Amino acid sequence: DMWLYLTENEKFNDFGNESALVWHETNIPYAVWGPESTRTLTLKYPPTEALKHNGSLYAHVFFAQSGFSPDPSDPEYQPQAAFGRTHPIVIYWPKSKADKKKSLLGGVPDSSEAQVTPEVVADSEEDSKEDGPVEWHAYWKPNITINLIADFTQYPNTGIPPNIAPHLNIDPITGNYYPTIFFNEFWLLRDKLIALNETVTELLLHLEVGPISMTKWQLFMQIDQSFQIHRSYGSMIEGEADELKRVFLEGNPYLLGITMIVSLLHSVFDFLAFKNDIQFWNKNKSMEGLSAKTVVVSFICQLIIFLYLLDNDTSWMILLSSGVGLVIEFWKIGKAMHIEIDRTGRIPMLRFRDRESYAGNKTKEYDDIAMKYLTYVLFLLAAGFAAYSLMYERHKSWYSWILSSLTSCVYMFGFIMMCPQLFINYKLKSVAHLPWRQMTYKFLNTIIDDLFAFVIKMPTLHRLSVFRD
C-alpha cells in the first residue's frame, strides 16, 4: 500500500492529518510489470500564501506491506514492513535578470521589451558578482513520478557499488535493504516548471507510481552524471541536456534517424575536406590561378566569428573548433603570401608580400579587379546593415554592436567572398589549379547543410547562410 502526504515541512510524522493525505493506493504489486502495477492521479493543489512567496512543499511517500501501517504509533506497525522517503516538489533557481541589452542611441525601450518574464536560468558567477547577490525564485514541478526499483541483488557488506550505496535504505537490525524509491525526474524539462508568485491560484500536479528495472534506473543515473561532467568541462552549456531530451520526447523517430545519419555523414565529409585542404596548401608551390585576397578575407571572416563567439555564451568545444579553424586560415596565408616581420619601427609589424607565381602573371591583375568592385559592394552592404542594427536593435555595448554587425554581414554576404575566384577562373578559362578533392567534399556537405536547414531548428540568419554556397 502507498500513502502520499503533501506538507510544507521537511520532516513528517503527522499520519493522522487527513487534509495532508492526497493519495492512497492499495495492493500495488512489487516488481511486476502490468496494468495494475502503474497507478496515476492528477490533482489540483491550491497554493498557500507562504508557498506563493518562495515557500517550500514536500511530498512524503510511504509504502507498507498490505495490512500493515506506516505510522510508528499504530499497534500494527512493523518496522520491517514499512518504509518511506521525502521529496521536494518546489525547486529554486536564480531569477532571470533584466536584459542587459540597450539602445546605444539612447532610445527609450518599449514597455513590452523592458518586461522580464521569469524563466529557469542558471546565471554565471561573473554575472552574480557584477549585479550583486543572486535572487532565487521558486518553481513548481508539475509531474512527480515515483518508481520502485526491482532489485533483488544480494550485496556483500563491504562490496556495495558506490553508485548504488547512497540510495540503499538498509535496516540496521537485520542488515536487509528496503525496496529503493526513485523519484524519476529525467524527463522533467526546465521549461515545464511553473513559476510561483502572487497571481497563481491553482497548481496542477500529475502523480504516477510504478516499477522500474535496475538496468533502466542505472541508465538514467549514468546519463545524468555524464551531462554533469560535460557541463563541468564546458563542453555542454546550460540547457543543452534538455534540448537533447526534447529530441527523444517530441521528435519523430524517422526524422531522428535521418538526422543522426546526416550528422555522421557531415562529420566525415567535414574531416575529409579539412584534411585535403591542408594537404593541398602544404604541397602547393604556385599561386597561379588562386585568389590570395580571398584567403586573407577568409581569415578576417573567421576572426570575426571567433570574436563574436567569445562575446557570447558559447561552450568551449565550439570555441576550440572555431579557434583551430582560425589558426588554419592564418597558416594558409603563409602559403599564399610571403609573411615578413618588419622591425624598422618601434613595434614589430607583420608585412605581407605577394609570391612571384601570383604577381608574375594575370592572376593578380584579375584578383585586384574583382576585389576592387566587390569591396565597394561589401562596404555599402556592411555600412547599411550596421546603421539599421544601430537604429532598430539593442546591444550590450558598442563593441558588441560592431561584432554582431560584422558577423551578420559575414553570414549574409559571405557568398561574395567566392566571387574573386570565380572571376579568375572565368578569365583564365581553367580550373586545373583548384583543390578539387576538397571542393568535392564541400559540395557534398553543402547538400547536407541544405537538408539540415529544414530538419534542425536554427536561427534565420544561419539558415540563409546555408544556401549561399
Side-chain angles (χ1 to χ4, degrees):
D1 299 343
M2 184 200 73
W3 294 260
L4 192 146
Y5 297 86
L6 293 181
T7 70
E8 296 182 6
N9 300 318
E10 191 172 359
K11 303 294 183 182
F12 181 82
N13 56 7
D14 188 9
F15 290 90
N17 188 355
E18 293 293 332
S19 61
L21 180 64
V22 297
W23 195 17
H24 177 50
E25 288 285 344
T26 59
N27 299 321
I28 303 174
Y30 173 64
V32 176
W33 279 262
E36 73 281 359
S37 301
T38 301
R39 315 283 177 89
T40 59
L41 175 70
T42 301
L43 59 92
K44 294 178 180 179
Y45 184 83
T48 62
E49 287 301 318
L51 190 60
K52 292 179 182 180
H53 296 83
N54 274 14
S56 299
L57 189 72
Y58 297 91
H60 307 278
V61 182
F62 296 94
F63 290 91
Q65 292 182 12
S66 295
F68 292 90
S69 171
D71 186 359
S73 61
D74 193 291
E76 297 182 358
Y77 175 74
Q78 291 290 335
Q80 280 77 33
F83 57 97
R85 192 179 165 194
T86 298
H87 183 70
I89 298 183
V90 174
I91 191 172
Y92 297 89
W93 288 100
K95 193 174 182 180
S96 56
K97 293 183 173 63
D99 191 0
K100 294 181 179 179
K101 293 182 178 180
K102 58 186 178 182
S103 176
L104 299 178
L105 296 178
V108 180
D110 297 335
S111 58
S112 59
E113 294 178 352
Q115 289 181 351
V116 180
T117 54
E119 297 175 351
V120 183
V121 296
D123 293 320
S124 63
E125 294 181 2
E126 294 179 2
D127 289 342
S128 61
K129 289 177 182 177
E130 291 176 3
D131 302 336
V134 178
E135 184 180 356
W136 294 81
H137 198 89
Y139 293 86
W140 174 268
K141 300 175 184 177
N143 297 309
I144 301 294
T145 302
I146 307 161
N147 288 139
L148 285 173
I149 298 165
D151 182 17
F152 297 92
T153 310
Q154 292 186 354
Y155 298 105
N157 290 332
T158 58
I160 302 176
N163 60 330
I164 295 176
H167 302 276
L168 286 186
N169 182 11
I170 302 174
D171 181 27
I173 299 174
T174 63
N176 298 329
Y177 63 91
Y178 297 95
T180 304
I181 302 173
F182 172 53
F183 288 92
N184 192 351
E185 295 183 346
F186 186 81
W187 299 111
L188 182 61
L189 306 183
R190 290 191 180 181
D191 60 352
K192 302 298 182 184
L193 301 179
I194 302 169
L196 294 175
N197 51 44
E198 295 84 353
T199 61
V200 178
T201 57
E202 202 173 55
L203 292 164
L204 205 65
L205 183 62
H206 179 74
L207 301 170
E208 181 179 332
V209 62
I212 187 175
S213 66
M214 188 71 176
T215 305
K216 194 173 182 180
W217 176 51
Q218 290 293 299
L219 181 64
F220 284 152
M221 290 176 61
Q222 288 290 339
I223 294 175
D224 273 335
Q225 186 180 10
S226 174
F227 287 158
Q228 291 176 6
I229 292 172
H230 279 292
R231 279 195 292 268
S232 64
Y233 287 156
S235 56
M236 177 181 282
I237 61 177
E238 202 68 41
E240 281 188 357
D242 277 11
E243 289 302 318
L244 189 60
K245 293 176 185 177
R246 195 188 308 279
V247 170
F248 293 96
L249 275 176
E250 303 174 0
N252 186 304
Y254 298 106
L255 195 60
L256 180 61
I258 293 173
T259 304
M260 292 175 68
I261 295 172
V262 164
S263 301
L264 180 63
L265 289 174
H266 190 281
S267 301
V268 171
F269 290 144
D270 218 17
F271 171 76
L272 291 173
F274 181 72
K275 179 180 75 73
N276 282 280
D277 193 26
I278 294 178
Q279 286 181 345
F280 171 80
W281 285 99
N282 193 37
K283 296 177 181 179
N284 184 45
K285 303 299 181 184
S286 173
M287 282 297 296
E288 184 177 357
L290 295 171
S291 174
K293 289 182 171 58
T294 299
V295 177
V296 177
V297 173
S298 297
F299 166 74
I300 295 173
C301 292
Q302 188 70 29
L303 177 63
I304 290 171
I305 293 175
F306 180 73
L307 293 176
Y308 178 77
L309 293 175
L310 276 178
D311 189 49
N312 293 270
D313 294 329
T314 310
S315 67
W316 285 104
M317 185 168 290
I318 302 297
L319 278 175
L320 182 64
S321 174
S322 180
V324 171
L326 182 65
V327 173
I328 296 299
E329 290 295 332
F330 185 76
W331 171 77
K332 285 165 64 173
I333 294 177
K335 291 294 181 179
M337 309 175 76
H338 289 294
I339 302 178
E340 301 170 347
I341 300 177
D342 186 6
R343 302 181 183 274
T344 55
R346 293 183 178 180
I347 302 175
M349 301 286 289
L350 290 178
R351 189 177 297 278
F352 300 93
R353 186 166 51 85
D354 294 330
R355 291 187 178 273
E356 292 76 12
S357 57
Y358 172 74
N361 54 53
K362 292 287 187 180
T363 303
K364 177 177 171 54
E365 179 185 340
Y366 298 145
D367 202 6
D368 290 340
I369 294 172
M371 284 304 296
K372 176 183 176 182
Y373 294 107
L374 286 176
T375 302
Y376 297 148
V377 176
L378 268 180
F379 177 77
L380 289 173
L381 290 173
F385 184 84
Y388 173 85
S389 178
L390 182 63
M391 292 178 64
Y392 296 104
E393 295 180 358
R394 297 182 300 154
H395 305 275
K396 291 187 291 186
S397 63
W398 288 99
Y399 173 74
S400 179
W401 164 66
I402 294 172
L403 268 186
S404 61
S405 300
L406 290 175
T407 306
S408 299
C409 289
V410 169
Y411 269 136
M412 288 191 290
F413 314 128
F415 64 92
I416 297 179
M417 297 302 114
M418 306 172 190
C419 294
Q421 186 63 61
L422 295 175
F423 186 69
I424 293 172
N425 298 343
Y426 169 72
K427 285 294 185 180
L428 294 180
K429 299 294 188 290
S430 172
V431 291
H433 44 270
L434 295 178
W436 65 270
R437 284 190 180 90
Q438 180 229 9
M439 296 187 70
T440 302
Y441 293 124
K442 280 196 172 184
F443 166 71
L444 293 173
N445 255 357
T446 300
I447 298 175
I448 293 174
D449 283 339
D450 292 343
L451 178 61
F452 259 93
F454 296 102
V455 173
I456 302 297
K457 284 179 12 181
M458 61 178 69
T460 307
L461 268 180
H462 193 77
R463 182 173 277 122
L464 288 175
S465 73
V466 162
F467 295 101
R468 74 187 185 196
D469 294 350

